[in-house]
Amino acid sequence: QVQLVESGGGSVQAGGSLRLSCAASGYGYSRYCMGWFRQAPGKEGEGVATIDRDGSTSYADSVKGRFTISKDNAKNTLYLQMNSLQPEDTSMYYCTAMGRGGYCDPSWFSRVWYNYRGQGTQVTVSS
C-alpha cells in the first residue's frame, strides 16, 4: 500500500509559479512510475508529467518547457515545479503511482490510470 499526500497548490496570476509536493509513504514506493495528472470539473484526467525509477522524465506537450517533475528519494517526495502558469492550467492536480517495475508507459498520457493517487491539490491561475 502506498499513501500519497499533495501540497503546494494555490492561486496565482498568469505568468506566476508554484511548486507542488507529494509526500509518499508505504511499502514499495520506489517500485512505481510516479506522475502528476490534472482534472478539471466535468473533464477527463490529463496526464502532466512522469518520472521513472531512474529519473527519466516525460511531459505532456501542453506543459513542456514550463513544468519540471523531480523527486527526492531520500525524502520520499515527488515535486512538480510549474512556471509561466496560464489560466488553462487551472485544475485539481493529483500525484500518482502506477505500474510495477518503476518504468513509465508513454501511453499513460493518452489515458490516465493509476494504482494509487493522492487527494489532490487545487491550482487556480487568474488572467
Side-chain angles (χ1 to χ4, degrees):
Q1 189 80 5
V2 176
Q3 294 81 41
L4 303 170
V5 179
E6 302 96 334
S7 61
S11 298
V12 296
Q13 290 192 324
S17 298
L18 285 172
R19 188 175 82 155
L20 306 184
S21 298
C22 172
S25 60
Y27 181 73
Y29 156 67
S30 63
R31 297 182 179 185
Y32 294 89
C33 164
M34 301 297 295
W36 294 91
F37 79 95
R38 61 190 182 187
Q39 189 164 18
K43 294 189 176 182
E44 294 286 327
E46 177 189 9
V48 173
T50 60
I51 186 166
D52 71 16
R53 60 187 297 173
D54 297 331
S56 294
T57 59
S58 295
Y59 298 93
D61 288 342
S62 58
V63 306
K64 279 181 183 176
R66 301 188 298 124
F67 291 11
T68 302
I69 188 172
S70 62
K71 61 181 178 176
D72 185 332
N73 289 331
K75 295 182 179 179
N76 283 354
T77 302
L78 181 72
Y79 301 101
L80 185 68
Q81 177 66 43
M82 306 186 295
N83 298 329
S84 302
L85 283 161
Q86 299 300 316
E88 52 265 36
D89 295 316
T90 294
S91 194
M92 185 72 81
Y93 284 71
Y94 297 91
C95 169
T96 66
M98 51 274 191
R100 290 290 181 95
Y103 296 101
C104 303
D105 183 349
S107 68
W108 179 80
F109 288 93
S110 299
R111 187 175 180 84
V112 170
W113 63 276
Y114 48 83
N115 296 91
Y116 303 99
R117 74 160 173 85
Q119 83 288 351
T121 186
Q122 178 68 37
V123 172
T124 302
V125 185
S126 58
S127 57

